[in-house]
Amino acid sequence: MSVYVNLPPLLFLGPAVGAVIVYLFLRLQVWSKPDAQSIASHGLWVGIIGWMASSLQGAMNAGILRVNPVGASAPSTPEQIAGALGWPILACLAVHALGQLSYPAPKAPRRYAELTVRRIRDFLPRKLAWTTAAIFAGSALVIAWIATLPGHTPVLPTPPGQAPPLGSVYPDNGYMGQGQEGRIPGWELASWLGGALLVLAVGTWLTLVLIARRRQLETLDGEDNRTIRAIATNRLLRTVATIAAGLAAIAGNFAAQPSPGALWQSSWFNVLGLVNMVVLLVMWWWRVPELPSLLRVAKTTSAATLRADPRTHPAARLSISLGAALGVVGGLTLAAGYAAILFPPRPPAVWAFPVLTGVVVLLLLAAIAAGELLVDRNYGTSDAPLHWPRQPVSKGLLSFAIGSAMVLAVAVAFAAAAEVQPFGPKAWPAAVLVSVVVALVGAGAILAVRRRRGIPETGGNAGLDAALRAISMYRIVRTLAAYCLGQAATLLISTGNAWYGVFPPAPGPDPLGPSPAVPIGMVLAIMALLVAVTPVRSLFRTIPRGRAAKQGEPAQ
């Protein structure tokens, strides 16, 4: 096995830029002196980005020698296998390490110190740790097993119009002209998989050391500081356990590949792939600890608690109920739109999905503005002063929305450059037109929040008016950010096949390969959905509790 790997120039430029972007995004989540909710959101995003970066899908057919040019890609050379295995593992570990490094440094004149030495086992969840260790051990056994398997020489396809030579191992079994795939020697793939598992184990240990030795966060108490380390450990172990199971699935796919001959088939069943899916589902549903301070607050500031509390102002109840209504409106509109586009037996128009994305967002913005009008009509008075929140939108959410708008601009530029047919249908003009309309309606919704009449804050409801305006502004900016990501995803997915029309491929044995625009679009679509359903629960804490109305006394 040749160990010489030809590293192309600028190989690390893309990962370095990605690491900087991830660090800045995570840093904005906990800028300055973050509260417990911001730190919990930061940990959630570390877990989400780490999951997305850990995909081994590109290496699932590692070691298979393809003979059919239209088949799925299969890394078989040292350069291909190293890249397919190495980048997801290193990216996942880097994301979790950046999650620890992106916390703010202490700024208080007096720093809190602990006399006890923090050790990894103090924050290690026992059941999850043993489960992860068992998965690593099982993967190591599977990798050692495939090291004993021989390689298979592929059988090239019979040229069209010719019969296979007499005595050939390529019989006429229904796959004439396709050829029969082979595989590299088992010890070669086992070396790469074993090395990847070792790197994963060492990187996990180093990240756990970083989690244990990181400075205390001065905005959290001791109990929350201990819990945030347990949360980081939980998310790291769940992710690396899935990667280890994925390495075993790659080995299982290699072992299940049939040898060329009379019984060869072009497809096979990978039992370890099914095991990998089970591990993935188990790790998805494994419980993540919660910060004790947030648990205490959640008992008194959940939507159900606020609605049931007789001290909650009716305007606050209306605002809370609007959040549930937004989810119903968005979900039903999206489902009905997809049904109207995909069910008819004809190809959908290129402008259909950009318009659908815009229609969903327009309805959500209109619902938010309508909620403000209802609050103004039912509870606003001209005599009450207008209280605008000190910080209408958090810096993290505002920065994220601006970044999402920049992503949409890049996607529109790509689509405009890709759709170069002079008379062919184009998706980007519809996306630009819809985006302008969404921006105008969003500005109108913000204006409705700004100009709504004030709510009387008698009876212990001081701060209610500003709290409800902040909640509405959060919903508007969140919806606009989700729109930008969703519309960018729509453009990249619909024009992904034109990628190499914009970026010509370099010469090589596989010059085309899959277009990266489509998977990038899918990631952006997932991010758009996550942003759209991000709850506004943290702002519920700012809703004051007035005194309960006495019997026979009208609620204010």
Side-chain angles (χ1 to χ4, degrees):
M1 178 183 65
S2 174
V3 297
Y4 174 76
V5 178
N6 183 21
L7 298 179
L10 305 180
L11 174 67
F12 298 101
L13 178 61
V17 172
V20 171
I21 293 175
V22 170
Y23 174 82
L24 293 176
F25 173 73
L26 295 176
R27 187 69 180 87
L28 287 172
Q29 302 293 316
V30 288
W31 195 264
S32 186
K33 293 184 177 181
D35 56 6
Q37 183 63 44
S38 299
I39 292 173
S41 176
H42 171 275
L44 174 63
W45 278 110
V46 170
I48 292 173
I49 299 174
W51 275 106
M52 293 191 298
S54 65
S55 175
L56 291 171
Q57 186 62 37
M60 275 301 155
N61 292 306
I64 304 300
L65 300 176
R66 295 291 194 198
V67 293
N68 187 0
V70 299
S73 61
S76 56
T77 64
E79 295 88 349
Q80 294 172 344
I81 298 177
L85 295 176
W87 286 123
I89 293 175
L90 295 177
C92 171
L93 295 173
V95 167
H96 284 272
L98 290 174
Q100 300 302 307
L101 298 175
S102 57
Y103 284 119
K107 298 181 180 179
R110 294 183 178 181
R111 297 181 180 179
Y112 172 79
E114 286 186 342
L115 298 179
T116 58
V117 178
R118 291 188 297 269
R119 298 165 298 183
I120 293 177
R121 63 173 177 267
D122 297 334
F123 317 104
L124 204 63
R126 297 294 186 266
K127 291 183 179 179
L128 180 57
W130 282 111
T131 303
T132 304
I135 293 173
F136 269 74
S139 299
L141 291 176
V142 173
I143 293 172
W145 167 54
I146 69 165
T148 62
L149 300 179
H152 297 154
T153 302
V155 177
L156 297 178
T158 302
Q162 297 185 16
L166 295 176
S168 172
V169 295
Y170 186 89
D172 185 7
N173 61 353
Y175 298 96
M176 179 66 67
Q178 178 178 322
Q180 297 182 356
E181 298 166 350
R183 67 186 186 193
I184 63 177
W187 66 267
E188 290 190 18
L189 182 61
S191 300
W192 289 107
L193 293 177
L197 189 65
L198 179 61
V199 170
L200 182 65
V202 173
T204 301
W205 177 261
L206 294 177
T207 308
L208 290 174
V209 172
L210 180 61
I211 292 173
R213 296 187 178 182
R214 175 183 51 77
R215 287 181 178 271
Q216 297 278 76
L217 299 178
E218 61 184 7
T219 56
L220 300 182
D221 58 20
E223 190 176 8
D224 276 357
N225 264 298
R226 287 188 292 273
T227 305
I228 199 65
R229 298 181 196 274
I231 291 174
T233 304
N234 176 285
R235 297 190 188 281
L236 173 65
L237 292 182
R238 288 161 56 222
T239 307
V240 299
T242 308
I243 296 177
L247 294 175
I250 295 172
N253 184 72
F254 176 87
Q257 200 256 0
S259 59
L263 300 179
W264 184 85
Q265 298 290 328
S266 62
S267 61
W268 52 88
F269 179 70
N270 181 9
V271 177
L272 291 176
L274 180 61
V275 175
N276 181 35
M277 291 301 300
V278 173
V279 171
L280 177 63
L281 294 176
V282 170
M283 293 302 159
W284 267 355
W285 290 104
W286 200 287
R287 182 180 176 274
V288 181
E290 296 186 57
L291 294 178
S293 61
L294 294 183
L295 282 176
R296 291 191 292 267
V297 171
K299 294 180 180 179
T300 57
T301 60
S302 65
T305 302
L306 287 171
R307 280 196 296 264
D309 194 336
R311 299 174 298 168
T312 303
H313 195 281
R317 289 198 187 98
L318 176 60
S319 178
I320 295 170
S321 300
L322 178 63
L326 291 176
V328 174
V329 170
L332 292 179
T333 306
L334 196 62
Y338 270 98
I341 292 173
L342 298 178
F343 279 0
R346 63 178 183 276
V350 294
W351 49 262
F353 290 107
V355 170
L356 173 61
T357 305
V359 168
V360 173
V361 172
L362 289 174
L363 289 177
L364 294 177
L365 294 174
I368 296 172
E372 288 298 308
L373 295 178
L374 284 176
V375 172
D376 178 87
R377 180 178 179 180
N378 297 335
Y379 310 107
T381 62
S382 302
D383 299 334
L386 190 155
H387 296 284
W388 188 248
R390 183 176 56 86
Q391 188 177 6
V393 182
S394 66
K395 293 181 180 179
L397 178 59
L398 183 60
S399 302
F400 183 78
I402 294 174
S404 301
M406 296 174 63
V407 171
L408 175 58
V410 172
V412 170
F414 166 76
E419 297 176 326
V420 296
Q421 300 88 351
F423 302 105
K426 299 177 176 61
W428 67 267
V432 172
L433 179 60
V434 171
S435 299
V436 172
V437 176
V438 167
L440 293 176
V441 175
I446 293 175
L447 194 61
V449 177
R450 187 71 176 87
R451 294 191 173 183
R452 174 176 59 77
R453 291 181 298 176
I455 300 174
E457 296 182 346
T458 58
N461 285 306
L464 174 64
D465 190 41
L468 296 184
R469 295 181 198 273
I471 290 174
S472 296
M473 288 296 299
Y474 177 93
R475 287 170 174 161
I476 293 172
V477 177
R478 176 192 65 184
T479 303
L480 292 175
Y483 166 77
C484 291
L485 294 177
Q487 194 66 273
T490 300
L491 290 174
L492 291 178
I493 293 174
S494 61
T495 61
N497 293 332
W499 173 269
Y500 290 109
V502 181
F503 303 100
D510 188 16
L512 293 179
S515 167
V518 175
I520 292 175
M522 295 174 65
V523 170
L524 291 178
I526 295 173
M527 291 182 63
L529 289 175
L530 292 174
V531 172
V533 300
T534 301
V536 72
R537 192 178 301 115
S538 60
L539 294 178
F540 286 168
R541 290 176 295 171
T542 62
I543 297 178
R545 306 290 183 90
R547 61 180 178 85
K550 297 179 181 180
Q551 186 175 4
E553 178 184 351
Q556 296 179 354

